[in-house]
Amino acid sequence: MDIKKLETWYVQNHRKLVFRESRNPYHIWVSEVMLQQTQVDTVLPYFSKFIIKYPTVSDLAKASEEDLHKTVEGLGYYRRFRLMQQAAQKIISEYQGIFPKTYDEVRSLPGVGAYTAGAIMSIAYNQPYSATDGNVIRVISRYLGDDQDMGLEKNKKRIDAYQQSMIEKATPWIYTQAIMELGALICRPRQPKCELCPLQEHCLAYAQGSQNELPIITKQTKTKTYQYITLIIEDHDAYYLRKRHEELLKGMYEYPQFEGESVYTVLSELESQGIFLDLNEDKSIYKHVFSHQTWLMDVYHAQLIKGIHPDWIRIDKHDFMTYPMAIAHRKIKR
Ligand code: SF4
């Protein structure tokens, strides 16, 4: 690969993203965690807000779970932020609050995988550690004309080994960002702009005209669909919400929700627990797609007449927006 051409292209053409203007390992870590599964444009305002709110690792370590969830509400995949806070606490207790500087130490932080560790080591410390994500796999598999299934771990490893051999010859902090930026701006998933690409001269996919077919990725995961009855329960000036304990969206608030298709089954189950609702039978239907599951929700409004479920929390309507809530429920019209 013509590394010099790639690096020069990056220096001259990269977007001035707020988190790409920093070599601070904390900033790079925060941005890389936010960018997992989330678009750059979505991340930008969250990143700025996050850094103002938690300017140091120590501020993040001390944040309340509620406050942290509220700060990242809307980004999804909230487990990554809980792990991030655990990592911040580890940095305080084991590294005196100073961000670790070796690969093994960075990799040992909760939630930090090989990709994130590689990004931090190369961008913040200019060390030759590869950071191979989906974008990089796309660029390199096209460049090498590799038509193997990139859904398989052994093939991803081969691409990562190539990427590692490249970064060892490069200026790591520029190379990592350059190949990420090339994947975002030029070697895009659809209709790559090969005519503007600094790697075009030796790109095999371009030579063979196969750039739109590569990479080949067969999906390894199956998604599951759940049918829920979701209740917006009012009680004078308040709603009842539940704080999730499940791994998905743990710590986020939601409307009481029950797996099943019949609201009447839910009502009679609640009545058997001494909870009585006055139901408005007009329902609205919502759908939310997560990476591994889909929620189909029949949403009903109801007034509480009597009783209270031990899991429900009474929340004043004025305070409703201050509680962290997953978009799956935040988007439901009250
Ligand atoms: S020439 Fe086209 S396919 Fe090859 S790396 Fe560049 S943008 Fe991607």
Side-chain angles (χ1 to χ4, degrees):
M1 184 187 286
D2 193 336
I3 294 166
K4 274 281 151 278
K5 262 193 186 171
L6 175 64
E7 292 181 345
T8 305
W9 171 84
Y10 176 74
V11 170
Q12 293 171 352
N13 295 285
H14 71 274
R15 293 166 295 176
K16 302 278 183 283
L17 302 172
V18 56
F19 44 78
R20 293 270 178 261
E21 300 304 305
S22 169
R23 302 279 302 276
N24 178 329
Y26 174 60
H27 292 182
I28 291 157
W29 177 44
V30 171
S31 68
E32 289 303 333
V33 171
M34 287 188 171
L35 285 164
Q36 289 163 13
Q37 317 272 350
T38 312
Q39 301 289 321
V40 167
D41 289 346
T42 307
V43 163
L44 283 169
Y46 280 94
F47 175 81
S48 300
K49 188 169 85 169
F50 194 97
I51 295 298
I52 289 168
K53 194 142 196 191
Y54 313 120
T56 65
V57 172
S58 161
D59 296 307
L60 174 58
K62 286 187 294 207
S64 75
E65 182 191 305
E66 206 99 333
D67 197 42
L68 179 60
H69 276 142
K70 188 66 202 164
T71 307
V72 296
E73 180 188 295
L75 277 177
Y77 305 99
Y78 298 102
R79 184 168 177 268
R80 55 183 159 167
F81 300 107
R82 289 199 304 280
L83 289 171
M84 204 178 176
Q85 186 175 40
Q86 289 168 22
Q89 288 159 352
K90 181 171 174 174
I91 293 171
I92 299 298
S93 62
E94 294 185 22
Y95 303 108
Q96 296 76 47
I98 298 164
F99 207 96
K101 287 191 170 59
T102 71
Y103 180 85
D104 288 345
E105 287 169 343
V106 172
R107 183 79 171 78
S108 76
L109 297 172
V112 174
Y115 167 78
T116 307
I120 294 169
M121 291 307 296
S122 56
I123 301 172
Y125 302 129
N126 199 29
Q127 295 295 310
Y129 289 92
S130 78
T132 304
D133 67 352
N135 280 317
V136 172
I137 287 172
R138 181 173 64 255
V139 175
I140 293 181
S141 64
R142 284 174 175 170
Y143 182 77
L144 298 175
D146 190 327
D147 61 0
Q148 297 300 298
D149 179 3
M150 291 302 155
L152 298 178
E153 213 46 48
K154 62 173 186 179
N155 295 328
K156 287 189 213 166
K157 280 202 172 126
R158 196 175 58 251
I159 298 290
D160 185 53
Y162 180 83
Q163 159 91 334
Q164 180 62 37
S165 71
M166 289 299 109
I167 201 167
E168 285 171 11
K169 295 180 207 140
T171 308
W173 75 274
I174 298 179
Y175 175 84
T176 291
Q177 298 189 89
I179 199 147
M180 287 175 178
E181 196 72 340
L182 191 80
L185 298 182
I186 303 290
C187 198
R188 306 175 306 183
R190 281 179 212 91
Q191 297 177 331
K193 297 180 179 172
C194 300
E195 65 284 1
L196 300 175
C197 180
L199 303 181
Q200 189 212 82
E201 193 181 344
H202 300 291
C203 174
L204 270 176
Y206 178 73
Q208 296 162 353
S210 60
Q211 60 270 44
N212 283 307
E213 277 93 67
L214 298 180
I216 292 168
I217 301 173
T218 43
K219 274 223 165 351
Q220 309 293 316
T221 53
K222 287 202 179 101
T223 60
K224 200 171 168 192
T225 299
Y226 293 91
Q227 174 68 56
Y228 288 115
I229 301 296
T230 307
L231 298 177
I232 302 181
I233 304 169
E234 292 182 55
D235 181 12
H236 299 96
D237 289 335
Y239 291 112
Y240 284 95
L241 298 181
R242 171 181 178 269
K243 190 173 181 180
R244 285 183 67 86
H245 309 298
E246 298 83 348
E247 200 44 55
L248 176 71
L249 305 174
K250 191 174 180 182
M252 304 298 277
Y253 288 78
E254 66 176 10
Y255 296 115
Q257 171 163 278
F258 306 85
E259 203 174 339
E261 292 180 4
S262 164
V263 71
Y264 301 105
T265 308
V266 171
L267 290 183
S268 61
E269 174 57 32
L270 288 172
E271 284 176 13
S272 73
Q273 298 171 43
I275 300 159
F276 293 84
L277 301 178
D278 182 9
L279 184 79
N280 176 346
E281 296 190 21
D282 294 338
K283 72 173 177 186
S284 39
I285 296 172
Y286 285 82
K287 177 180 178 181
H288 193 83
V289 180
F290 298 92
S291 60
H292 294 90
Q293 54 180 273
T294 298
W295 289 4
L296 300 176
M297 296 169 280
D298 285 355
V299 180
Y300 292 86
H301 285 76
Q303 299 283 336
L304 183 73
I305 299 173
K306 191 172 133 198
I308 172 76
H309 194 285
D311 266 4
W312 298 351
I313 302 159
R314 193 175 190 278
I315 285 172
D316 197 284
K317 285 182 180 172
H318 291 298
D319 298 333
F320 181 75
M321 293 304 289
T322 65
Y323 283 79
M325 191 177 224
I327 293 302
H329 277 195
R330 181 68 84 199
K331 70 184 179 186
I332 294 174
K333 201 161 177 288
R334 285 181 280 153

